[in-house]
PDB file of all heavy atoms in Angstrom:
ATOM      1  N   LEU U   1     -14.441  16.115 -25.041  1.00  0.00           N
ATOM      2  CA  LEU U   1     -14.641  15.588 -23.721  1.00  0.00           C
ATOM      3  C   LEU U   1     -13.302  15.533 -22.955  1.00  0.00           C
ATOM      4  O   LEU U   1     -13.373  15.449 -21.742  1.00  0.00           O
ATOM      5  CB  LEU U   1     -15.297  14.195 -23.762  1.00  0.00           C
ATOM      6  CG  LEU U   1     -16.749  14.192 -24.326  1.00  0.00           C
ATOM      7  CD1 LEU U   1     -17.278  12.741 -24.348  1.00  0.00           C
ATOM      8  CD2 LEU U   1     -17.656  15.028 -23.441  1.00  0.00           C
ATOM      9  N   GLY U   2     -12.203  15.398 -23.667  1.00  0.00           N
ATOM     10  CA  GLY U   2     -10.906  15.316 -22.974  1.00  0.00           C
ATOM     11  C   GLY U   2     -10.641  14.084 -22.233  1.00  0.00           C
ATOM     12  O   GLY U   2      -9.883  14.046 -21.222  1.00  0.00           O
ATOM     13  N   VAL U   3     -11.209  12.946 -22.688  1.00  0.00           N
ATOM     14  CA  VAL U   3     -11.057  11.682 -22.008  1.00  0.00           C
ATOM     15  C   VAL U   3     -10.119  10.780 -22.832  1.00  0.00           C
ATOM     16  O   VAL U   3     -10.252  10.593 -24.045  1.00  0.00           O
ATOM     17  CB  VAL U   3     -12.403  10.924 -21.850  1.00  0.00           C
ATOM     18  CG1 VAL U   3     -12.181   9.595 -21.162  1.00  0.00           C
ATOM     19  CG2 VAL U   3     -13.424  11.781 -21.045  1.00  0.00           C
ATOM     20  N   THR U   4      -9.028  10.290 -22.146  1.00  0.00           N
ATOM     21  CA  THR U   4      -8.046   9.439 -22.851  1.00  0.00           C
ATOM     22  C   THR U   4      -7.774   8.251 -21.932  1.00  0.00           C
ATOM     23  O   THR U   4      -8.081   8.253 -20.737  1.00  0.00           O
ATOM     24  CB  THR U   4      -6.724  10.237 -23.059  1.00  0.00           C
ATOM     25  OG1 THR U   4      -6.224  10.717 -21.785  1.00  0.00           O
ATOM     26  CG2 THR U   4      -6.889  11.369 -23.986  1.00  0.00           C
ATOM     27  N   GLY U   5      -7.214   7.207 -22.518  1.00  0.00           N
ATOM     28  CA  GLY U   5      -6.861   6.021 -21.802  1.00  0.00           C
ATOM     29  C   GLY U   5      -5.370   5.770 -21.753  1.00  0.00           C
ATOM     30  O   GLY U   5      -4.625   6.413 -22.509  1.00  0.00           O
ATOM     31  N   ALA U   6      -4.939   4.922 -20.887  1.00  0.00           N
ATOM     32  CA  ALA U   6      -3.517   4.604 -20.723  1.00  0.00           C
ATOM     33  C   ALA U   6      -3.360   3.163 -20.244  1.00  0.00           C
ATOM     34  O   ALA U   6      -4.086   2.706 -19.411  1.00  0.00           O
ATOM     35  CB  ALA U   6      -2.885   5.571 -19.799  1.00  0.00           C
ATOM     36  N   ALA U   7      -2.340   2.497 -20.781  1.00  0.00           N
ATOM     37  CA  ALA U   7      -1.910   1.204 -20.255  1.00  0.00           C
ATOM     38  C   ALA U   7      -0.450   1.394 -19.722  1.00  0.00           C
ATOM     39  O   ALA U   7       0.331   2.042 -20.398  1.00  0.00           O
ATOM     40  CB  ALA U   7      -1.939   0.124 -21.290  1.00  0.00           C
ATOM     41  N   PHE U   8      -0.128   0.870 -18.522  1.00  0.00           N
ATOM     42  CA  PHE U   8       1.138   1.205 -17.917  1.00  0.00           C
ATOM     43  C   PHE U   8       1.714   0.062 -17.154  1.00  0.00           C
ATOM     44  O   PHE U   8       1.030  -0.918 -16.796  1.00  0.00           O
ATOM     45  CB  PHE U   8       0.956   2.456 -16.999  1.00  0.00           C
ATOM     46  CG  PHE U   8       0.050   2.127 -15.818  1.00  0.00           C
ATOM     47  CD1 PHE U   8       0.594   1.548 -14.648  1.00  0.00           C
ATOM     48  CD2 PHE U   8      -1.253   2.502 -15.893  1.00  0.00           C
ATOM     49  CE1 PHE U   8      -0.238   1.284 -13.600  1.00  0.00           C
ATOM     50  CE2 PHE U   8      -2.075   2.210 -14.784  1.00  0.00           C
ATOM     51  CZ  PHE U   8      -1.591   1.594 -13.659  1.00  0.00           C
ATOM     52  N   THR U   9       3.028   0.168 -16.927  1.00  0.00           N
ATOM     53  CA  THR U   9       3.689  -0.692 -15.973  1.00  0.00           C
ATOM     54  C   THR U   9       4.657   0.139 -15.170  1.00  0.00           C
ATOM     55  O   THR U   9       5.348   1.041 -15.688  1.00  0.00           O
ATOM     56  CB  THR U   9       4.452  -1.863 -16.656  1.00  0.00           C
ATOM     57  OG1 THR U   9       5.103  -2.684 -15.648  1.00  0.00           O
ATOM     58  CG2 THR U   9       5.472  -1.342 -17.643  1.00  0.00           C
ATOM     59  N   ASP U  10       4.689  -0.037 -13.810  1.00  0.00           N
ATOM     60  CA  ASP U  10       5.508   0.690 -12.913  1.00  0.00           C
ATOM     61  C   ASP U  10       6.432  -0.239 -12.175  1.00  0.00           C
ATOM     62  O   ASP U  10       6.093  -1.421 -11.950  1.00  0.00           O
ATOM     63  CB  ASP U  10       4.680   1.464 -11.891  1.00  0.00           C
ATOM     64  CG  ASP U  10       3.818   2.517 -12.502  1.00  0.00           C
ATOM     65  OD1 ASP U  10       4.086   2.950 -13.656  1.00  0.00           O
ATOM     66  OD2 ASP U  10       2.817   2.960 -11.805  1.00  0.00           O
ATOM     67  N   ILE U  11       7.609   0.235 -11.806  1.00  0.00           N
ATOM     68  CA  ILE U  11       8.576  -0.489 -10.973  1.00  0.00           C
ATOM     69  C   ILE U  11       9.317   0.491 -10.117  1.00  0.00           C
ATOM     70  O   ILE U  11       9.567   1.614 -10.506  1.00  0.00           O
ATOM     71  CB  ILE U  11       9.490  -1.348 -11.824  1.00  0.00           C
ATOM     72  CG1 ILE U  11      10.306  -2.318 -10.923  1.00  0.00           C
ATOM     73  CG2 ILE U  11      10.420  -0.444 -12.642  1.00  0.00           C
ATOM     74  CD1 ILE U  11      11.140  -3.327 -11.740  1.00  0.00           C
ATOM     75  N   GLY U  12       9.682   0.050  -8.864  1.00  0.00           N
ATOM     76  CA  GLY U  12      10.397   0.938  -7.990  1.00  0.00           C
ATOM     77  C   GLY U  12      10.848   0.252  -6.734  1.00  0.00           C
ATOM     78  O   GLY U  12      10.500  -0.897  -6.454  1.00  0.00           O
ATOM     79  N   SER U  13      11.672   0.932  -5.963  1.00  0.00           N
ATOM     80  CA  SER U  13      12.229   0.383  -4.698  1.00  0.00           C
ATOM     81  C   SER U  13      12.669   1.494  -3.868  1.00  0.00           C
ATOM     82  O   SER U  13      13.004   2.562  -4.298  1.00  0.00           O
ATOM     83  CB  SER U  13      13.370  -0.621  -4.976  1.00  0.00           C
ATOM     84  OG  SER U  13      13.799  -1.177  -3.775  1.00  0.00           O
ATOM     85  N   LEU U  14      12.628   1.248  -2.508  1.00  0.00           N
ATOM     86  CA  LEU U  14      13.115   2.209  -1.528  1.00  0.00           C
ATOM     87  C   LEU U  14      13.872   1.420  -0.442  1.00  0.00           C
ATOM     88  O   LEU U  14      13.341   0.428   0.043  1.00  0.00           O
ATOM     89  CB  LEU U  14      11.914   2.905  -0.891  1.00  0.00           C
ATOM     90  CG  LEU U  14      12.205   3.859   0.278  1.00  0.00           C
ATOM     91  CD1 LEU U  14      12.900   5.075  -0.120  1.00  0.00           C
ATOM     92  CD2 LEU U  14      10.865   4.276   1.037  1.00  0.00           C
ATOM     93  N   TRP U  15      15.060   1.893  -0.092  1.00  0.00           N
ATOM     94  CA  TRP U  15      15.884   1.119   0.838  1.00  0.00           C
ATOM     95  C   TRP U  15      16.951   2.033   1.428  1.00  0.00           C
ATOM     96  O   TRP U  15      17.145   3.162   1.048  1.00  0.00           O
ATOM     97  CB  TRP U  15      16.539  -0.103   0.151  1.00  0.00           C
ATOM     98  CG  TRP U  15      17.700   0.266  -0.681  1.00  0.00           C
ATOM     99  CD1 TRP U  15      19.043   0.198  -0.373  1.00  0.00           C
ATOM    100  CD2 TRP U  15      17.661   0.773  -2.032  1.00  0.00           C
ATOM    101  NE1 TRP U  15      19.802   0.581  -1.439  1.00  0.00           N
ATOM    102  CE2 TRP U  15      18.997   0.938  -2.472  1.00  0.00           C
ATOM    103  CE3 TRP U  15      16.632   1.071  -2.934  1.00  0.00           C
ATOM    104  CZ2 TRP U  15      19.295   1.429  -3.720  1.00  0.00           C
ATOM    105  CZ3 TRP U  15      16.969   1.570  -4.225  1.00  0.00           C
ATOM    106  CH2 TRP U  15      18.282   1.753  -4.592  1.00  0.00           C
ATOM    107  N   GLY U  16      17.605   1.491   2.457  1.00  0.00           N
ATOM    108  CA  GLY U  16      18.721   2.190   3.108  1.00  0.00           C
ATOM    109  C   GLY U  16      18.289   3.028   4.257  1.00  0.00           C
ATOM    110  O   GLY U  16      17.485   3.940   4.088  1.00  0.00           O
ATOM    111  N   ILE U  17      18.765   2.715   5.470  1.00  0.00           N
ATOM    112  CA  ILE U  17      18.442   3.562   6.624  1.00  0.00           C
ATOM    113  C   ILE U  17      19.651   3.401   7.559  1.00  0.00           C
ATOM    114  O   ILE U  17      20.299   2.368   7.619  1.00  0.00           O
ATOM    115  CB  ILE U  17      17.113   3.038   7.275  1.00  0.00           C
ATOM    116  CG1 ILE U  17      16.683   3.988   8.439  1.00  0.00           C
ATOM    117  CG2 ILE U  17      17.224   1.645   7.780  1.00  0.00           C
ATOM    118  CD1 ILE U  17      15.323   3.702   8.996  1.00  0.00           C
ATOM    119  N   ASP U  18      19.954   4.506   8.277  1.00  0.00           N
ATOM    120  CA  ASP U  18      21.144   4.527   9.144  1.00  0.00           C
ATOM    121  C   ASP U  18      20.955   3.701  10.416  1.00  0.00           C
ATOM    122  O   ASP U  18      21.932   3.253  10.998  1.00  0.00           O
ATOM    123  CB  ASP U  18      21.531   5.921   9.464  1.00  0.00           C
ATOM    124  CG  ASP U  18      21.868   6.786   8.280  1.00  0.00           C
ATOM    125  OD1 ASP U  18      22.485   6.254   7.359  1.00  0.00           O
ATOM    126  OD2 ASP U  18      21.493   7.920   8.224  1.00  0.00           O
ATOM    127  N   SER U  19      19.747   3.483  10.838  1.00  0.00           N
ATOM    128  CA  SER U  19      19.492   2.758  12.102  1.00  0.00           C
ATOM    129  C   SER U  19      19.592   1.249  11.892  1.00  0.00           C
ATOM    130  O   SER U  19      19.526   0.755  10.751  1.00  0.00           O
ATOM    131  CB  SER U  19      18.045   3.106  12.594  1.00  0.00           C
ATOM    132  OG  SER U  19      17.897   4.477  12.762  1.00  0.00           O
ATOM    133  N   THR U  20      19.768   0.516  12.997  1.00  0.00           N
ATOM    134  CA  THR U  20      19.823  -0.952  12.939  1.00  0.00           C
ATOM    135  C   THR U  20      19.035  -1.441  14.131  1.00  0.00           C
ATOM    136  O   THR U  20      18.842  -0.781  15.089  1.00  0.00           O
ATOM    137  CB  THR U  20      21.309  -1.452  13.058  1.00  0.00           C
ATOM    138  OG1 THR U  20      21.900  -0.953  14.292  1.00  0.00           O
ATOM    139  CG2 THR U  20      22.113  -1.027  11.887  1.00  0.00           C
ATOM    140  N   GLY U  21      18.507  -2.701  13.964  1.00  0.00           N
ATOM    141  CA  GLY U  21      17.724  -3.294  15.033  1.00  0.00           C
ATOM    142  C   GLY U  21      17.081  -4.589  14.591  1.00  0.00           C
ATOM    143  O   GLY U  21      16.940  -4.833  13.367  1.00  0.00           O
ATOM    144  N   ILE U  22      16.705  -5.430  15.536  1.00  0.00           N
ATOM    145  CA  ILE U  22      16.163  -6.743  15.171  1.00  0.00           C
ATOM    146  C   ILE U  22      14.826  -6.637  14.552  1.00  0.00           C
ATOM    147  O   ILE U  22      14.400  -7.516  13.774  1.00  0.00           O
ATOM    148  CB  ILE U  22      16.122  -7.692  16.453  1.00  0.00           C
ATOM    149  CG1 ILE U  22      15.211  -6.994  17.492  1.00  0.00           C
ATOM    150  CG2 ILE U  22      17.503  -7.975  16.955  1.00  0.00           C
ATOM    151  CD1 ILE U  22      15.031  -7.971  18.735  1.00  0.00           C
ATOM    152  N   ASN U  23      14.068  -5.536  14.782  1.00  0.00           N
ATOM    153  CA  ASN U  23      12.730  -5.391  14.240  1.00  0.00           C
ATOM    154  C   ASN U  23      12.692  -4.591  12.937  1.00  0.00           C
ATOM    155  O   ASN U  23      11.656  -4.312  12.374  1.00  0.00           O
ATOM    156  CB  ASN U  23      11.793  -4.690  15.276  1.00  0.00           C
ATOM    157  CG  ASN U  23      11.567  -5.551  16.488  1.00  0.00           C
ATOM    158  OD1 ASN U  23      11.430  -6.763  16.404  1.00  0.00           O
ATOM    159  ND2 ASN U  23      11.531  -4.883  17.649  1.00  0.00           N
ATOM    160  N   LEU U  24      13.886  -4.316  12.448  1.00  0.00           N
ATOM    161  CA  LEU U  24      13.970  -3.390  11.242  1.00  0.00           C
ATOM    162  C   LEU U  24      14.052  -4.277  10.023  1.00  0.00           C
ATOM    163  O   LEU U  24      14.953  -5.182   9.890  1.00  0.00           O
ATOM    164  CB  LEU U  24      15.214  -2.499  11.347  1.00  0.00           C
ATOM    165  CG  LEU U  24      15.458  -1.606  10.124  1.00  0.00           C
ATOM    166  CD1 LEU U  24      14.314  -0.588   9.990  1.00  0.00           C
ATOM    167  CD2 LEU U  24      16.782  -0.854  10.256  1.00  0.00           C
ATOM    168  N   ARG U  25      13.125  -4.084   9.093  1.00  0.00           N
ATOM    169  CA  ARG U  25      13.140  -4.763   7.795  1.00  0.00           C
ATOM    170  C   ARG U  25      13.538  -3.772   6.745  1.00  0.00           C
ATOM    171  O   ARG U  25      12.877  -2.716   6.536  1.00  0.00           O
ATOM    172  CB  ARG U  25      11.792  -5.408   7.486  1.00  0.00           C
ATOM    173  CG  ARG U  25      11.817  -6.228   6.152  1.00  0.00           C
ATOM    174  CD  ARG U  25      10.407  -6.685   5.840  1.00  0.00           C
ATOM    175  NE  ARG U  25       9.524  -5.620   5.515  1.00  0.00           N
ATOM    176  CZ  ARG U  25       8.222  -5.743   5.483  1.00  0.00           C
ATOM    177  NH1 ARG U  25       7.681  -6.883   5.853  1.00  0.00           N
ATOM    178  NH2 ARG U  25       7.483  -4.735   5.157  1.00  0.00           N
ATOM    179  N   ASP U  26      14.650  -4.077   6.016  1.00  0.00           N
ATOM    180  CA  ASP U  26      15.172  -3.140   5.055  1.00  0.00           C
ATOM    181  C   ASP U  26      15.771  -3.956   3.873  1.00  0.00           C
ATOM    182  O   ASP U  26      16.788  -4.594   4.061  1.00  0.00           O
ATOM    183  CB  ASP U  26      16.216  -2.255   5.637  1.00  0.00           C
ATOM    184  CG  ASP U  26      16.819  -1.237   4.653  1.00  0.00           C
ATOM    185  OD1 ASP U  26      16.263  -1.116   3.549  1.00  0.00           O
ATOM    186  OD2 ASP U  26      17.877  -0.630   4.970  1.00  0.00           O
ATOM    187  N   ASP U  27      15.092  -3.946   2.748  1.00  0.00           N
ATOM    188  CA  ASP U  27      15.631  -4.675   1.584  1.00  0.00           C
ATOM    189  C   ASP U  27      15.301  -3.866   0.299  1.00  0.00           C
ATOM    190  O   ASP U  27      14.359  -3.040   0.311  1.00  0.00           O
ATOM    191  CB  ASP U  27      15.119  -6.089   1.436  1.00  0.00           C
ATOM    192  CG  ASP U  27      13.670  -6.141   1.056  1.00  0.00           C
ATOM    193  OD1 ASP U  27      13.358  -6.086  -0.098  1.00  0.00           O
ATOM    194  OD2 ASP U  27      12.806  -6.312   1.997  1.00  0.00           O
ATOM    195  N   SER U  28      16.058  -4.085  -0.758  1.00  0.00           N
ATOM    196  CA  SER U  28      15.868  -3.315  -1.961  1.00  0.00           C
ATOM    197  C   SER U  28      15.148  -4.086  -3.052  1.00  0.00           C
ATOM    198  O   SER U  28      15.298  -3.779  -4.206  1.00  0.00           O
ATOM    199  CB  SER U  28      17.290  -2.916  -2.489  1.00  0.00           C
ATOM    200  OG  SER U  28      18.103  -4.060  -2.716  1.00  0.00           O
ATOM    201  N   THR U  29      14.296  -5.080  -2.689  1.00  0.00           N
ATOM    202  CA  THR U  29      13.595  -5.906  -3.636  1.00  0.00           C
ATOM    203  C   THR U  29      12.688  -4.981  -4.465  1.00  0.00           C
ATOM    204  O   THR U  29      11.916  -4.129  -3.911  1.00  0.00           O
ATOM    205  CB  THR U  29      12.744  -6.918  -2.887  1.00  0.00           C
ATOM    206  OG1 THR U  29      13.576  -7.764  -2.108  1.00  0.00           O
ATOM    207  CG2 THR U  29      12.004  -7.787  -3.939  1.00  0.00           C
ATOM    208  N   PRO U  30      12.696  -5.061  -5.809  1.00  0.00           N
ATOM    209  CA  PRO U  30      11.829  -4.183  -6.652  1.00  0.00           C
ATOM    210  C   PRO U  30      10.371  -4.522  -6.409  1.00  0.00           C
ATOM    211  O   PRO U  30      10.008  -5.675  -6.256  1.00  0.00           O
ATOM    212  CB  PRO U  30      12.292  -4.511  -8.054  1.00  0.00           C
ATOM    213  CG  PRO U  30      13.641  -5.150  -7.896  1.00  0.00           C
ATOM    214  CD  PRO U  30      13.598  -5.847  -6.630  1.00  0.00           C
ATOM    215  N   ARG U  31       9.531  -3.494  -6.437  1.00  0.00           N
ATOM    216  CA  ARG U  31       8.110  -3.669  -6.498  1.00  0.00           C
ATOM    217  C   ARG U  31       7.596  -3.206  -7.776  1.00  0.00           C
ATOM    218  O   ARG U  31       8.054  -2.238  -8.385  1.00  0.00           O
ATOM    219  CB  ARG U  31       7.421  -2.816  -5.354  1.00  0.00           C
ATOM    220  CG  ARG U  31       7.243  -3.506  -4.030  1.00  0.00           C
ATOM    221  CD  ARG U  31       8.581  -3.889  -3.359  1.00  0.00           C
ATOM    222  NE  ARG U  31       8.305  -4.401  -1.978  1.00  0.00           N
ATOM    223  CZ  ARG U  31       9.303  -4.743  -1.159  1.00  0.00           C
ATOM    224  NH1 ARG U  31      10.554  -4.689  -1.592  1.00  0.00           N
ATOM    225  NH2 ARG U  31       8.993  -5.223  -0.007  1.00  0.00           N
ATOM    226  N   GLY U  32       6.540  -3.872  -8.319  1.00  0.00           N
ATOM    227  CA  GLY U  32       6.056  -3.550  -9.638  1.00  0.00           C
ATOM    228  C   GLY U  32       4.565  -3.705  -9.763  1.00  0.00           C
ATOM    229  O   GLY U  32       3.951  -4.356  -8.941  1.00  0.00           O
ATOM    230  N   SER U  33       3.995  -3.147 -10.816  1.00  0.00           N
ATOM    231  CA  SER U  33       2.590  -3.272 -11.082  1.00  0.00           C
ATOM    232  C   SER U  33       2.321  -2.998 -12.559  1.00  0.00           C
ATOM    233  O   SER U  33       3.114  -2.375 -13.235  1.00  0.00           O
ATOM    234  CB  SER U  33       1.785  -2.281 -10.254  1.00  0.00           C
ATOM    235  OG  SER U  33       2.063  -0.893 -10.597  1.00  0.00           O
ATOM    236  N   VAL U  34       1.220  -3.524 -13.065  1.00  0.00           N
ATOM    237  CA  VAL U  34       0.743  -3.179 -14.422  1.00  0.00           C
ATOM    238  C   VAL U  34      -0.746  -2.839 -14.269  1.00  0.00           C
ATOM    239  O   VAL U  34      -1.444  -3.254 -13.351  1.00  0.00           O
ATOM    240  CB  VAL U  34       0.884  -4.394 -15.347  1.00  0.00           C
ATOM    241  CG1 VAL U  34       2.344  -4.728 -15.578  1.00  0.00           C
ATOM    242  CG2 VAL U  34       0.134  -5.636 -14.858  1.00  0.00           C
ATOM    243  N   GLY U  35      -1.223  -2.006 -15.174  1.00  0.00           N
ATOM    244  CA  GLY U  35      -2.579  -1.595 -15.039  1.00  0.00           C
ATOM    245  C   GLY U  35      -3.107  -0.797 -16.275  1.00  0.00           C
ATOM    246  O   GLY U  35      -2.386  -0.563 -17.244  1.00  0.00           O
ATOM    247  N   PHE U  36      -4.325  -0.311 -16.154  1.00  0.00           N
ATOM    248  CA  PHE U  36      -5.020   0.453 -17.126  1.00  0.00           C
ATOM    249  C   PHE U  36      -5.576   1.661 -16.400  1.00  0.00           C
ATOM    250  O   PHE U  36      -6.063   1.575 -15.333  1.00  0.00           O
ATOM    251  CB  PHE U  36      -6.086  -0.367 -17.810  1.00  0.00           C
ATOM    252  CG  PHE U  36      -6.939   0.451 -18.749  1.00  0.00           C
ATOM    253  CD1 PHE U  36      -6.502   0.764 -20.054  1.00  0.00           C
ATOM    254  CD2 PHE U  36      -8.224   0.901 -18.368  1.00  0.00           C
ATOM    255  CE1 PHE U  36      -7.300   1.516 -20.884  1.00  0.00           C
ATOM    256  CE2 PHE U  36      -8.995   1.621 -19.218  1.00  0.00           C
ATOM    257  CZ  PHE U  36      -8.591   1.912 -20.463  1.00  0.00           C
ATOM    258  N   GLY U  37      -5.530   2.805 -17.115  1.00  0.00           N
ATOM    259  CA  GLY U  37      -6.046   4.027 -16.520  1.00  0.00           C
ATOM    260  C   GLY U  37      -6.883   4.848 -17.450  1.00  0.00           C
ATOM    261  O   GLY U  37      -6.805   4.701 -18.669  1.00  0.00           O
ATOM    262  N   ILE U  38      -7.650   5.721 -16.890  1.00  0.00           N
ATOM    263  CA  ILE U  38      -8.510   6.693 -17.688  1.00  0.00           C
ATOM    264  C   ILE U  38      -8.215   8.063 -17.047  1.00  0.00           C
ATOM    265  O   ILE U  38      -8.242   8.256 -15.853  1.00  0.00           O
ATOM    266  CB  ILE U  38      -9.987   6.358 -17.590  1.00  0.00           C
ATOM    267  CG1 ILE U  38     -10.261   5.007 -18.246  1.00  0.00           C
ATOM    268  CG2 ILE U  38     -10.817   7.447 -18.313  1.00  0.00           C
ATOM    269  CD1 ILE U  38     -11.745   4.568 -18.096  1.00  0.00           C
ATOM    270  N   ALA U  39      -7.939   9.042 -17.963  1.00  0.00           N
ATOM    271  CA  ALA U  39      -7.747  10.406 -17.531  1.00  0.00           C
ATOM    272  C   ALA U  39      -8.775  11.303 -18.214  1.00  0.00           C
ATOM    273  O   ALA U  39      -9.043  11.193 -19.391  1.00  0.00           O
ATOM    274  CB  ALA U  39      -6.321  10.853 -17.910  1.00  0.00           C
ATOM    275  N   TRP U  40      -9.301  12.221 -17.457  1.00  0.00           N
ATOM    276  CA  TRP U  40     -10.317  13.135 -17.883  1.00  0.00           C
ATOM    277  C   TRP U  40      -9.933  14.613 -17.590  1.00  0.00           C
ATOM    278  O   TRP U  40      -9.781  14.939 -16.442  1.00  0.00           O
ATOM    279  CB  TRP U  40     -11.680  12.843 -17.261  1.00  0.00           C
ATOM    280  CG  TRP U  40     -12.765  13.816 -17.686  1.00  0.00           C
ATOM    281  CD1 TRP U  40     -12.915  14.470 -18.872  1.00  0.00           C
ATOM    282  CD2 TRP U  40     -13.893  14.222 -16.884  1.00  0.00           C
ATOM    283  NE1 TRP U  40     -13.991  15.250 -18.885  1.00  0.00           N
ATOM    284  CE2 TRP U  40     -14.683  15.151 -17.664  1.00  0.00           C
ATOM    285  CE3 TRP U  40     -14.273  13.904 -15.585  1.00  0.00           C
ATOM    286  CZ2 TRP U  40     -15.766  15.729 -17.121  1.00  0.00           C
ATOM    287  CZ3 TRP U  40     -15.396  14.509 -15.089  1.00  0.00           C
ATOM    288  CH2 TRP U  40     -16.129  15.459 -15.854  1.00  0.00           C
ATOM    289  N   THR U  41      -9.688  15.420 -18.627  1.00  0.00           N
ATOM    290  CA  THR U  41      -9.442  16.806 -18.442  1.00  0.00           C
ATOM    291  C   THR U  41     -10.774  17.519 -18.292  1.00  0.00           C
ATOM    292  O   THR U  41     -11.412  17.969 -19.294  1.00  0.00           O
ATOM    293  CB  THR U  41      -8.651  17.368 -19.642  1.00  0.00           C
ATOM    294  OG1 THR U  41      -7.490  16.632 -19.843  1.00  0.00           O
ATOM    295  CG2 THR U  41      -8.246  18.831 -19.397  1.00  0.00           C
ATOM    296  N   SER U  42     -11.240  17.524 -17.097  1.00  0.00           N
ATOM    297  CA  SER U  42     -12.609  17.977 -16.778  1.00  0.00           C
ATOM    298  C   SER U  42     -12.659  19.538 -16.626  1.00  0.00           C
ATOM    299  O   SER U  42     -11.594  20.145 -16.548  1.00  0.00           O
ATOM    300  CB  SER U  42     -13.155  17.321 -15.496  1.00  0.00           C
ATOM    301  OG  SER U  42     -12.569  17.946 -14.375  1.00  0.00           O
ATOM    302  N   PRO U  43     -13.826  20.080 -16.559  1.00  0.00           N
ATOM    303  CA  PRO U  43     -13.894  21.517 -16.340  1.00  0.00           C
ATOM    304  C   PRO U  43     -13.339  21.922 -14.940  1.00  0.00           C
ATOM    305  O   PRO U  43     -13.067  23.051 -14.721  1.00  0.00           O
ATOM    306  CB  PRO U  43     -15.374  21.844 -16.346  1.00  0.00           C
ATOM    307  CG  PRO U  43     -15.999  20.727 -17.202  1.00  0.00           C
ATOM    308  CD  PRO U  43     -15.153  19.518 -16.915  1.00  0.00           C
ATOM    309  N   PHE U  44     -13.207  20.918 -14.072  1.00  0.00           N
ATOM    310  CA  PHE U  44     -12.694  21.185 -12.765  1.00  0.00           C
ATOM    311  C   PHE U  44     -11.168  20.821 -12.608  1.00  0.00           C
ATOM    312  O   PHE U  44     -10.653  20.918 -11.518  1.00  0.00           O
ATOM    313  CB  PHE U  44     -13.470  20.356 -11.739  1.00  0.00           C
ATOM    314  CG  PHE U  44     -14.946  20.474 -11.788  1.00  0.00           C
ATOM    315  CD1 PHE U  44     -15.724  19.591 -12.395  1.00  0.00           C
ATOM    316  CD2 PHE U  44     -15.530  21.684 -11.321  1.00  0.00           C
ATOM    317  CE1 PHE U  44     -17.103  19.744 -12.539  1.00  0.00           C
ATOM    318  CE2 PHE U  44     -16.938  21.852 -11.446  1.00  0.00           C
ATOM    319  CZ  PHE U  44     -17.660  20.923 -12.033  1.00  0.00           C
ATOM    320  N   GLY U  45     -10.551  20.444 -13.696  1.00  0.00           N
ATOM    321  CA  GLY U  45      -9.126  20.082 -13.690  1.00  0.00           C
ATOM    322  C   GLY U  45      -8.944  18.625 -14.061  1.00  0.00           C
ATOM    323  O   GLY U  45      -9.946  17.916 -14.219  1.00  0.00           O
ATOM    324  N   PRO U  46      -7.675  18.191 -14.196  1.00  0.00           N
ATOM    325  CA  PRO U  46      -7.453  16.761 -14.552  1.00  0.00           C
ATOM    326  C   PRO U  46      -7.842  15.782 -13.515  1.00  0.00           C
ATOM    327  O   PRO U  46      -7.590  16.021 -12.286  1.00  0.00           O
ATOM    328  CB  PRO U  46      -5.907  16.755 -14.769  1.00  0.00           C
ATOM    329  CG  PRO U  46      -5.514  18.177 -14.887  1.00  0.00           C
ATOM    330  CD  PRO U  46      -6.494  18.931 -14.083  1.00  0.00           C
TER     331      PRO U  46
END
């Protein structure tokens, strides 16, 4: 059937811009998540 499971945790951040302004929010605080996934290698593709 090609069905598998996965448990994961992700972390990342995006920051830095050349522009400046009072309405600009720019910080490098990490963002993260944990979760569970299912992958199926189906006849139509993953």
